Amino acid sequence: MVQAAVQSANSESRAEPWVGRSIERVEDAALLSGRGRFIDDLGVPPGTLHATILRSPYAHADILSIDVEAARRLAGVAAVLIGSDIKAITNSLVVGVKAPVECWPIAIDRVRYVGEPVAVIVAIDRARAEDAAELINVEYRPRGAVVDPLGALAPGAPVLHDGFPGNLASDRTFRYGDPEKAFADAPHRFSIDVRYPRNSCTPIETYGVVASHDAGEDAYEVLANFQGPFSIHTVIARALKVPGNRLRLRTPPDSGGSFGVKQGVFPYIVLIAAAARVTQRPVKWIEDRLEHLTASVSATNRATSLSAAVAADGEILALDWDQVEDCGAHLRAPEPATLYRMHGNLTGAYDISHVSVRNRVVVTNKTPTGLNRGFGGPQVYFALERLVQRIATGLKLDPLDVIKRNLIDAGAFPYRTATGALLDSGIYQEAVARAVEQGRLAELKAKRDAARAEGRLYGIGFTAVVEPSVSNMGYITTVLTAAERRKAGPKNGAQATATVGLDPVGSVTVHVASVPQGQGHRTVLSQVVADVFGLQPKDIRVNTEIDTAKDAWSIASGNYASRFAAAVAATAKLAAERIAGRLARIAASQLNVAAADIVFANGFVASKQNPENRIAFSRVAALGHWSPGSLPDDAGQTIRETVFWTPPELTPPDEGDRINSSLCHGFIFDFCGVEVDRVTLETRIDRYVTMHDCGTILHPGMVDGQIRGGFTQALGAALYEEYAYAEDGSFLTGTLADYLLPTTTEVPEPEIFHMETPSPFTSLGAKGVGEGNCMSTPVCLANAVADALGVADVTLPLVPARLAELVRGAEPPPPVGGATGEPVREGDRRLRGEGQASVKGAPEQVWAMLLDPATLQSVIPGCQRVDRVTSTHFRADVTLGVGPVTGRYRTDVQLFDLDPPRSVTLRGGATGALGFGNAEGRITLAPDGEGGTKLTYQYDAAIGGKVASIGGRLLDGAIRVVIGQFFAALARKAGGGSETGGRFSLFALLAKAAGLFGGRR
């Protein structure tokens, strides 16, 4: 009866409910006027200290020693913590699989990726902490590194962890149906080998943590822009050696974007909380952009071999997956989530009954991976949808016909996939037909034909994908065998939490355990709850901040896996309906009507039969505060209702390893037309059409905004973005000059279409929509480019240089004997050159100056000190600033093959906070016939670490500056002079090459 009253209230309260309208966003007034409250905007307690992190310049090296005494003595420094200090007061972070492996938030004896924390410096301000970081002397012994996931499995590859023999963290095989027979009987077999690159999201706001420790209770309080999920709360508490009720985790009111990556804040929460414990003062740390690019989490890169057994008409009979997942240097929880989130959806939108799978997880010398928008989806669909196009090409069929032939039939829903997913609803064929008509595919095909007739490179790409949302916590346990799962105990569900409260004046407040990063939670929740109570959205106050010490939350709480609309908003609706049912009983007793006759509308609680018989909502809502004794016996309390909801459809993996990975499954069908310029090989999107079925649409404007945002990020992944590493693990894309992002000038306007098949599994019928284009767009564009170029294989990102290799073949090597004085760049890491210069003074005088420590200290730019170890061995400290960074570096140079005063060979290296390098060269001195010296040189230098990450854009200009400064000083010291040819001092290069670009931010 109560439920009927509430439903009646919803249906009759107004002609048009608030849900489904594009009302003005509540959040925008503050955000667009600069009044957002982000973590770095909030005040901190008096006495708060500030932290900076010293990071490894090497991808793989033993730490032989760390000298921190000079840093600790610097005025204003409260503490300098290294691995042994952190290890003494914390536990290892949870590793994503059962293995004898430790995972710390800071390097312990060995570094395994560029940017791994080596020391935490805490001081009275950030600048003082950074000054102290440059005084720390770390001695490393480099090891061999491995960055390719398949190379990590090769015999003899460097091993990162003894507990992961051969770098293999997990190896599982799965079999569904009878794939062997399907392949044996099929007339055709098509296969594809693809590499999905490593990329990430780049939110405007980077990581931030403010932590304090209460020694009396041994409890921590942490403010962090942590996204969740709150399963990681347990991981953090365990690492800090306290029970969960001794870890209070709060979030700021606003977060400047996340897209998944702020889940990766959690190791820094442990690190900064440990620093707060040592110093017994609050400690604040805000990550900068260079740190974020180099050392925050990214999406996994994956090597996939995928085969299909195919009938003559293009029907896919079976799939054989072989996936090798690169999770970086440490397998941190919740990884290998990216690999298993899509396990139930390996057949995509297609009706395929037979599947075999091999999943391997490897570790490499790259940053540890984590959640990233669409996590797991882009990697799966790039392989599957590229294979669908390969099938069409091989059978000389239209790719769209192959897609339509294999789509799940509309009458099959809810549809159970071979691997276990329960697809809730959909009419895929109708969605495709609508998109084809409304997106004018026939017109686009005619345009392609005309362009090709003119000799232009024009192609059309298609893709059809299922977008999962509301993740089942149990999917990650599919990495375990059935026996291991029985031993560990069941894990499953997707519990969402919402609280609706009424205050003494009848105002409504909503609180949810889901921290938004720009999605508009407050707006949508106000619409949902307003519809239940017959109010206006402006009457509803929504709080999305989290405080684990006070608020209702669960292990599944958080904002991830597109769970807000389907799970969180739906739970808020359930909480509001429960209170509305009780208020209906109260109003019924006061209005002398049956509870079934009650309707909530226009700010009143009234009789449906006699609308004039009514009472103000605020008066009924406040009664539980002012006169609880007058409430009907069956009404119950009406002050506050908290609902914990988990759908019964999300069960643990079964004995056959079938798993319903997610609750809701939207459908996306995309097609696009692109043209590739024959000269520049630049890809131009002519038209992009995307059809979405995300169930019930709660706020059309925000749904389209989510689609545009996902499309833009996917465009970056397809055409621009890649985390690039050198063979030694050096990070090559450490600035936004090298890690390219699309801007508004590069992003076309997609044509967005919708249809709605509500989910039967949620109270609102909504499904997720925020991640879908990150899954569909990269492969749709890749299919279009492959069609334009007439090639079988393409690799992301589709940068012109990569397409040029497909069209024109590999670029020939540069001619021998190039211009002198110009460094030859190889991967932006290696420098070779030769040249000459003239300096006043006889060769004997110049020779003596080059070997005199005092002279060298006075002429090397930024040199703090030069020490002579032996007559042919020197050590120096130098400080150099180039572009956005400055750093202090320790150098070691030795002389060989001396022929005084005519020639000498020099060899040396340098290591700084974020960079390292080494060089070798030959200097020859000869009289110039005019009383001076002609100096000629040849050199070969290499750089790594942060040096390599930003050297690609600044290297040439920086070297000219440094060399110019050196020669000007040397000439003055020798009594005046001039330079001819390339300006160069090999000693200056050897003393400074590794320090050229790293150091203090």
Side-chain angles (χ1 to χ4, degrees):
M1 180 183 297
V2 172
Q3 183 66 27
V6 174
Q7 289 175 346
S8 176
N10 290 339
S11 62
E12 299 185 23
S13 59
R14 59 183 57 81
E16 181 185 4
W18 292 106
V19 168
R21 295 199 223 176
S22 295
I23 67 171
E24 183 177 345
R25 288 179 18 128
V26 176
E27 297 84 355
D28 288 349
L31 294 176
L32 298 179
S33 59
R35 288 179 285 130
R37 293 180 295 154
F38 304 92
I39 189 168
D40 204 27
D41 299 323
L42 305 181
V44 293
T48 296
L49 300 171
H50 296 263
T52 194
I53 297 172
L54 179 68
R55 300 178 181 274
S56 168
Y58 290 96
H60 202 191
D62 295 311
I63 301 175
L64 301 181
S65 65
I66 306 179
D67 184 357
V68 300
E69 291 309 310
R72 284 175 173 162
R73 289 195 300 267
L74 186 67
V77 172
V80 180
L81 307 177
I82 61 175
S84 57
D85 301 316
I86 300 297
K87 186 176 182 179
I89 59 175
T90 65
N91 287 321
S92 167
L93 301 172
V94 172
V95 178
V97 297
K98 298 291 184 183
V101 172
E102 293 182 337
C103 177
W104 300 89
I106 191 171
I108 309 289
D109 301 327
R110 195 201 305 190
V111 295
R112 291 179 173 86
Y113 64 94
V114 171
E116 184 168 13
V118 174
V120 180
I121 305 90
V122 183
I124 58 174
D125 55 47
R126 177 68 177 257
R128 197 74 54 98
E130 291 181 347
D131 289 342
E134 294 192 359
L135 299 176
I136 298 175
N137 187 6
V138 186
E139 185 177 357
Y140 298 95
R141 180 172 60 210
R143 289 174 174 246
V146 60
V147 296
D148 178 72
L150 298 182
L153 295 172
V159 175
L160 274 72
H161 303 271
D162 293 339
F164 291 152
N167 297 314
L168 186 62
S170 175
D171 187 352
R172 284 224 61 197
T173 58
F174 307 87
R175 181 178 178 274
Y176 306 96
D178 193 352
E180 295 84 4
K181 184 176 187 303
F183 274 96
D185 295 345
H188 301 285
R189 180 188 181 112
F190 292 93
S191 301
I192 192 167
D193 294 320
V194 298
R195 298 287 192 100
Y196 197 86
R198 175 174 285 221
N199 51 42
S200 190
C201 300
T202 48
I204 294 175
E205 182 194 39
T206 56
Y207 293 173
V209 178
V210 182
S212 60
H213 177 255
D214 183 340
E217 294 194 3
D218 190 21
Y220 292 91
E221 181 172 332
V222 176
L223 174 70
N225 53 12
F226 176 57
Q227 179 179 349
F230 281 87
S231 58
I232 301 299
H233 184 276
T234 305
V235 175
I236 298 170
R238 180 186 179 278
L240 291 172
K241 296 184 176 180
V242 295
N245 61 5
R246 293 289 192 271
L247 171 62
R248 180 184 185 184
L249 182 59
R250 298 186 296 117
T251 61
D254 293 305
S255 179
S258 171
F259 317 107
V261 299
K262 280 182 179 162
Q263 177 272 337
V265 174
F266 83 89
Y268 294 102
I269 293 177
V270 175
L271 208 55
I272 302 306
R277 174 174 179 162
V278 170
T279 60
Q280 281 304 295
R281 301 261 294 275
V283 178
K284 178 178 181 178
W285 171 74
I286 301 293
E287 181 188 52
D288 68 29
R289 181 59 59 187
L290 298 183
E291 288 181 294
H292 187 82
L293 285 168
T294 303
S296 69
V297 298
S298 72
T300 60
N301 54 292
R302 185 180 300 176
T304 301
S305 294
L306 178 60
S307 298
V310 183
D313 63 354
E315 180 186 0
I316 302 172
L317 307 172
L319 292 175
D320 181 9
W321 288 89
D322 187 345
Q323 302 180 104
V324 179
E325 186 87 332
D326 180 356
C327 285
H330 299 285
L331 196 63
R332 290 177 178 158
E335 292 288 32
T338 308
L339 180 58
Y340 281 92
R341 184 216 180 181
M342 299 293 295
H343 194 79
N345 302 106
L346 291 175
T347 51
Y350 306 122
D351 185 4
I352 304 171
S353 302
H354 308 286
V355 182
S356 60
V357 186
R358 185 183 186 187
N359 284 342
R360 284 173 285 177
V361 179
V362 301
V363 289
T364 63
N365 294 110
K366 293 185 283 194
T367 55
T369 59
L371 308 187
N372 195 80
R373 193 171 192 172
F375 70 109
Q379 293 88 336
V380 163
Y381 289 126
F382 188 80
L384 181 59
E385 295 299 301
R386 288 289 300 122
L387 181 60
V388 169
Q389 179 163 0
R390 179 73 61 83
I391 292 168
T393 303
L395 296 178
K396 295 181 172 51
L397 299 172
D398 186 326
L400 181 56
D401 289 340
V402 176
I403 288 175
K404 291 193 292 185
R405 184 165 290 118
N406 287 284
L407 288 174
I408 298 166
D409 186 74
F413 292 95
Y415 173 86
R416 182 74 69 175
T417 69
T419 51
L422 184 61
L423 308 189
D424 44 341
S425 64
I427 310 175
Y428 297 171
Q429 292 82 357
E430 182 179 342
V432 170
R434 288 190 190 183
V436 166
E437 179 183 356
Q438 297 172 19
R440 309 177 310 283
L441 177 60
E443 175 187 299
L444 201 63
K445 287 183 174 181
K447 196 170 187 178
R448 177 180 63 181
D449 294 343
R452 289 181 173 179
E454 297 172 3
R456 291 151 51 201
L457 302 175
Y458 195 104
I460 296 176
F462 302 91
T463 189
V465 309
V466 167
E467 178 181 6
S469 56
V470 191
S471 288
N472 179 359
M473 289 189 297
Y475 77 82
I476 187 58
T477 63
T478 315
V479 73
L480 305 175
T481 64
E484 290 171 331
R485 292 195 297 268
R486 286 193 295 271
K487 184 177 180 180
K491 293 181 177 63
N492 66 286
Q495 197 166 70
T497 309
T499 298
V500 175
L502 306 178
D503 68 17
V505 295
S507 302
V508 181
T509 300
V510 181
H511 184 274
V512 293
S514 179
V515 180
Q517 286 87 36
Q519 297 95 329
H521 285 18
R522 292 169 58 201
T523 301
V524 173
L525 289 169
S526 70
Q527 292 176 275
V528 169
V529 175
D531 276 343
V532 174
F533 290 136
L535 302 174
Q536 298 185 52
K538 67 182 180 61
D539 298 325
I540 313 299
R541 175 76 170 174
V542 179
N543 185 342
T544 55
E545 299 172 49
I546 287 290
D547 184 337
T548 60
K550 296 181 178 181
D551 300 326
W553 61 283
S554 81
I555 197 170
S557 297
N559 181 19
Y560 61 99
S562 294
R563 71 196 308 270
F564 169 72
V568 177
T571 305
K573 180 175 186 287
L574 293 175
E577 286 178 341
R578 289 187 185 180
I579 290 184
R582 294 173 192 153
L583 293 178
R585 291 192 186 99
I586 297 170
S589 67
Q590 295 196 355
L591 299 177
N592 198 26
V593 299
D597 188 37
I598 292 296
V599 63
F600 293 77
N602 303 316
F604 290 91
V605 185
S607 165
K608 285 186 291 184
Q609 305 301 322
N610 179 15
E612 295 303 317
N613 184 19
R614 66 183 187 176
I615 186 172
F617 173 87
S618 59
R619 183 168 179 174
V620 179
L623 201 61
H625 286 276
W626 295 106
S627 185
S630 66
L631 301 182
D633 293 339
D634 64 343
Q637 66 84 24
T638 59
I639 292 176
R640 177 180 293 240
E641 181 68 25
T642 296
V643 171
F644 291 84
W645 174 80
T646 192
E649 292 80 11
L650 297 183
T651 56
D654 66 15
E655 290 295 306
D657 291 315
R658 292 172 180 83
I659 177 65
N660 185 23
S661 315
S662 301
L663 176 66
C664 301
H665 299 85
F667 177 71
I668 304 172
F669 172 69
D670 291 356
F671 67 86
C672 65
V674 307
E675 183 170 0
V676 180
D677 189 285
R678 278 195 177 273
V679 177
T680 67
L681 279 305
E682 181 182 5
T683 299
R684 181 185 64 83
I685 300 174
D686 185 35
R687 183 189 304 169
Y688 197 97
V689 174
T690 181
M691 163 62 78
H692 285 255
D693 177 359
C694 62
T696 302
I697 296 175
L698 306 185
H699 188 294
M702 281 197 276
V703 165
D704 281 4
Q706 288 289 309
I707 292 171
R708 285 185 172 87
F711 171 72
T712 300
Q713 288 190 312
L715 185 70
L719 301 181
Y720 303 101
E721 301 178 39
E722 180 180 15
Y723 273 17
Y725 292 83
E727 289 184 2
D728 67 354
S730 293
F731 186 52
L732 303 178
T733 46
T735 73
L736 295 180
D738 296 280
Y739 186 77
L740 300 182
L741 299 171
T743 69
T744 54
T745 59
E746 287 86 39
V747 181
E749 182 74 10
E751 296 185 19
I752 303 172
F753 302 103
H754 297 281
M755 64 176 287
E756 298 180 56
T757 57
S759 172
F761 299 156
T762 69
S763 63
L764 287 167
K767 307 177 185 180
V769 72
E771 301 175 90
N773 280 96
C774 284
M775 305 178 188
S776 63
T777 295
V779 67
C780 187
L781 291 173
N783 282 339
V785 169
D787 182 50
L789 301 180
V791 297
D793 297 311
V794 290
T795 302
L796 301 183
L798 301 167
V799 294
R802 188 165 280 158
L803 298 185
E805 290 187 4
L806 291 174
V807 175
R808 303 166 185 160
E811 185 176 345
V816 179
T820 62
E822 280 295 316
V824 177
R825 198 181 274 179
E826 294 182 1
D828 285 335
R829 295 187 56 256
R830 198 156 195 92
L831 302 167
R832 293 193 182 103
E834 59 184 31
Q836 62 183 30
S838 293
V839 179
K840 288 187 177 179
E844 292 81 2
Q845 180 184 3
V846 177
W847 179 272
M849 292 174 64
L850 288 175
L851 299 184
D852 176 53
T855 302
L856 289 171
Q857 181 173 337
S858 67
V859 300
I860 296 175
C863 187
Q864 310 295 318
R865 176 175 178 174
V866 175
D867 295 321
R868 187 199 300 268
V869 180
T870 68
S871 61
T872 58
H873 185 185
F874 297 86
R875 287 179 180 154
D877 283 349
V878 294
T879 300
L880 182 65
V882 177
V885 290
T886 299
R888 184 169 181 171
Y889 299 87
R890 287 152 291 281
T891 67
D892 192 282
V893 180
Q894 296 188 57
L895 284 62
F896 302 90
D897 301 329
L898 282 76
D899 182 14
R902 288 179 287 274
S903 60
V904 62
T905 297
L906 295 92
R907 184 181 306 135
T911 302
L914 294 175
F916 61 90
N918 57 76
E920 180 172 326
R922 184 74 174 171
I923 291 180
T924 302
L925 306 177
D928 64 3
E930 298 178 359
T933 298
K934 179 181 179 182
L935 186 150
T936 60
Y937 58 85
Q938 294 178 322
Y939 67 91
D940 186 335
I943 57 174
K946 177 59 73 175
V947 179
S949 74
I950 69 174
R953 300 287 172 176
L954 300 176
L955 194 54
D956 292 339
I959 284 185
R960 293 190 190 101
V961 170
V962 172
I963 293 171
Q965 292 173 347
F966 177 85
F967 267 97
L970 185 64
R972 287 195 302 270
K973 198 77 174 179
S978 62
E979 304 85 39
T980 63
R983 302 176 173 182
F984 183 77
S985 162
L986 187 60
F987 189 92
L989 177 63
L990 290 170
K992 308 186 74 168
L996 207 51
F997 303 108
R1000 185 174 64 191
R1001 277 77 60 204

